[in-house]
Amino acid sequence: MHVKTDVFCSASVTLPDKAGRQINIGGWSGDSTFGIRLYWPDGSPGVPGVNDWQENVNELKLQRGRWYPTAMVMTNGSVSLLLGHNVSITDQKQILVIGGQTGSNGPPQPNLEILPRPSGAGVVYADWLERTDPYNLYPFLAVLPSGGIFVGYYNEARILDPVTFNTIKTLPNMPGAVNNPGAGRTYPLEGTAMLLPQYAPFTAPLGILICGGSTIGAAIALDNCVSSQPEAGNNAWTLERMPSQRVMPCMTALPDGTYMILNGAKQGAAGFGLATGPNLNAVLYDPSKPVNQRMSIMANTTIARLYHSEAILMQDGRVLVSGSDPQDGKNPQEYRVEVFVPPYLLSGRPRPSFTITNKNWGYGASVSITVRLNGGGATRVSMLGAESSTHGNTMGQRTLFPAVSCAGTTCTITTPPNKNVCPPGWYQLFLLDGPTPSTSTWIRIGGDPAGLGNWPPGPTFSKPGL
């Protein structure tokens, strides 16, 4: 595959259009920092794809050059931006791009912009990004069930209005190290974040989990995770100790509602040659257990996974672990790929399976699947959002457990109620027979209300339509 400009340290999300196109935003320097690249996956099992990345900076580009930005698909019905004058648009859904630097080690971009760009709209200044520069890169973003936007950066967090991007609520600062409350959680003091599972009937507040990080100056890696429910009345952060210190960790949501924490270092910060002591251990985090009893030590690897390492869930429920480019003179650039097998695949139980006809869902609807169960326990289904992971930031991650009832070989799923609980887009659907997951099938929910399938204009870009 080929790109025209440098995608190093960019942002990516999966669009909700019917092709599930990937959009990649920003990059290393020059024109690449303004880059907007689209890829239409066209392969199938056993059949290689032929499509390539499409990019033309003369037809489509960001308003500001961005390196280390974050992107998120929004769900708002309309947006008004106060940018010297009011600009109203009626798109049901846009892509929010936030923060970053103006190219490699350049000045900050303490602002937000949206794609597709509304006519006459500029960027939205965020004083809180300027104030916390340079410790806020790759900020954590998520749509909340109220419709607000959670953003976590450095050791701070707030909720933004999805129309004006004004702050609705400022959360307490995240606790850091015991001896250094100023420790941070985003690049270069890099931790990792996940949304905790949402369960039907989806009335409980959504939880945020952030693990690892480091301190300014001495760069002492953190040995804890913090969690909060941003929309709850009590927004205090709950601190839980990890078995060891970890900076530059990766975290992967699993289909049973647990999380794998792995990769990273025991000392230092994110960047080339800035960390020591590879953390070879994997940890399982189970939010269904009591606080301070949620972490279990798993197996060790023999491969150092430091800067630019990744871990991502595969459709068969295993975790693909790859990468590492520390440039520290001790640990090599890694081309080896590993697979971590979670405990639910080690019991010897046969996997459940299912078939599904309707893969294009609406909200609050009933969808039937035909199942093969093996009597392994309670029957559940989970939905895991399409994601793009880099630098501890898993853009698009979300875990939902919709209601399901079964009779014989037919199970009926009640889909999530609205776009704030479950933003429109692509999700992996798993069937669980007790603890054991099936392989997943990709489904789409909520359609493409903004018509992104007809975007962007210009002859360079193929468009799947609506």
Side-chain angles (χ1 to χ4, degrees):
M1 300 184 70
H2 309 85
V3 290
K4 295 181 179 179
T5 57
D6 197 333
V7 300
F8 183 64
C9 297
S10 55
S12 295
V13 290
T14 299
L15 297 182
D17 61 38
K18 63 183 182 181
R21 287 180 300 168
Q22 317 297 302
I23 184 169
N24 179 269
I25 299 164
W28 168 248
S29 63
D31 283 347
S32 67
T33 65
F34 293 88
I36 301 175
R37 309 161 193 92
L38 288 159
Y39 168 67
W40 183 336
D42 64 323
S44 60
V47 180
V50 297
N51 288 349
D52 208 338
W53 286 96
Q54 298 177 333
E55 178 184 7
N56 187 338
V57 73
N58 295 316
E59 291 181 11
L60 182 68
K61 66 179 182 178
L62 296 170
Q63 297 181 60
R64 301 287 177 87
R66 298 183 188 275
W67 188 51
Y68 291 106
T70 299
M72 184 192 76
V73 180
M74 298 172 59
T75 63
N76 54 300
S78 64
V79 178
S80 291
L81 301 181
L82 189 61
L83 304 168
H85 61 284
N86 287 333
V87 180
S88 295
I89 62 175
T90 58
D91 288 343
Q92 294 292 323
K93 199 158 179 281
Q94 289 94 18
I95 303 151
L96 175 64
V97 184
I98 179 172
Q101 293 179 336
T102 309
S104 174
N105 299 314
Q109 285 292 352
N111 50 64
L112 305 80
E113 63 179 283
I114 56 175
L115 298 171
R117 180 183 178 182
S119 177
V123 300
V124 180
Y125 171 67
D127 66 289
W128 37 274
L129 284 177
E130 185 164 52
R131 174 173 48 77
T132 55
D133 174 67
Y135 304 112
N136 58 29
L137 301 178
Y138 279 128
F140 305 125
L141 287 176
V143 173
L144 298 173
S146 66
I149 298 170
F150 169 86
V151 54
Y153 55 98
Y154 178 39
N155 65 354
E156 300 181 5
R158 63 187 59 227
I159 300 175
L160 305 181
D161 184 284
V163 175
T164 63
F165 301 114
N166 292 332
T167 297
I168 299 173
K169 184 178 186 179
T170 301
L171 277 65
N173 283 8
M174 305 173 201
V178 172
N179 61 349
N180 189 342
R185 305 283 179 172
T186 49
Y187 185 93
L189 310 173
E190 185 180 309
T192 183
M194 286 273 144
L195 299 181
L196 293 173
Q198 300 169 264
Y199 294 90
F202 304 108
T203 54
L206 176 62
I208 308 285
L209 174 69
I210 304 176
C211 293
S214 192
T215 63
I216 298 172
I220 298 172
L222 301 185
D223 66 351
N224 60 67
C225 297
V226 293
S227 59
S228 182
Q229 296 176 328
E231 296 176 302
N234 179 9
N235 305 126
W237 292 91
T238 298
L239 188 146
E240 298 174 270
R241 295 285 295 274
M242 292 191 292
S244 56
Q245 294 168 286
R246 204 179 292 257
V247 62
M248 301 182 296
C250 298
M251 187 153 45
T252 304
L254 301 179
D256 65 348
T258 61
Y259 299 84
M260 289 303 310
I261 306 169
L262 64 175
N263 298 358
K266 296 180 180 179
Q267 169 69 20
F272 293 127
L274 299 181
T276 59
N279 196 321
L280 304 176
N281 181 236
V283 174
L284 182 71
Y285 182 91
D286 186 349
S288 69
K289 294 183 178 180
V291 171
N292 295 319
Q293 299 178 34
R294 294 175 173 176
M295 298 195 201
S296 300
I297 296 175
M298 299 282 107
N300 285 355
T301 181
T302 60
I303 300 175
R305 300 288 184 183
L306 298 165
Y307 192 42
H308 291 151
S309 63
E310 292 299 334
I312 194 165
L313 179 70
M314 297 192 295
Q315 285 189 259
D316 64 4
R318 297 178 300 164
V319 177
L320 182 68
V321 184
S322 63
S324 187
D325 184 22
Q327 298 188 22
D328 59 2
K330 300 176 183 178
N331 299 286
Q333 186 175 33
E334 272 301 338
Y335 296 95
R336 290 175 289 179
V337 174
E338 297 174 282
V339 172
F340 186 91
V341 182
Y344 51 59
L345 294 179
L346 298 176
S347 66
R349 295 188 182 97
R351 283 178 179 265
S353 62
F354 69 96
T355 57
I356 181 171
T357 302
N358 179 8
K359 300 179 183 179
N360 196 13
W361 296 3
Y363 293 112
S366 295
V367 176
S368 294
I369 59 175
T370 301
V371 304
R372 181 179 63 81
L373 300 170
N374 304 296
T379 302
R380 299 179 294 162
V381 293
S382 60
M383 299 168 57
L384 278 75
E387 58 190 37
S388 175
S389 177
T390 185
H391 293 75
N393 192 331
T394 306
M395 304 172 209
Q397 179 272 330
R398 211 171 191 98
T399 300
L400 302 103
F401 285 86
V404 60
S405 59
C406 299
T409 59
T410 300
C411 291
T412 301
I413 302 167
T414 302
T415 65
N418 60 62
K419 62 187 180 182
N420 294 328
V421 167
C422 179
W426 290 89
Y427 292 78
Q428 291 190 68
L429 178 68
F430 287 91
L431 171 69
L432 293 108
D433 186 6
T436 309
S438 65
T439 57
S440 73
T441 295
W442 285 99
I443 62 95
R444 183 173 70 144
I445 187 169
D448 181 11
L452 293 177
N454 286 334
W455 177 82
T460 298
F461 299 93
S462 301
K463 293 169 274 289
L466 304 180

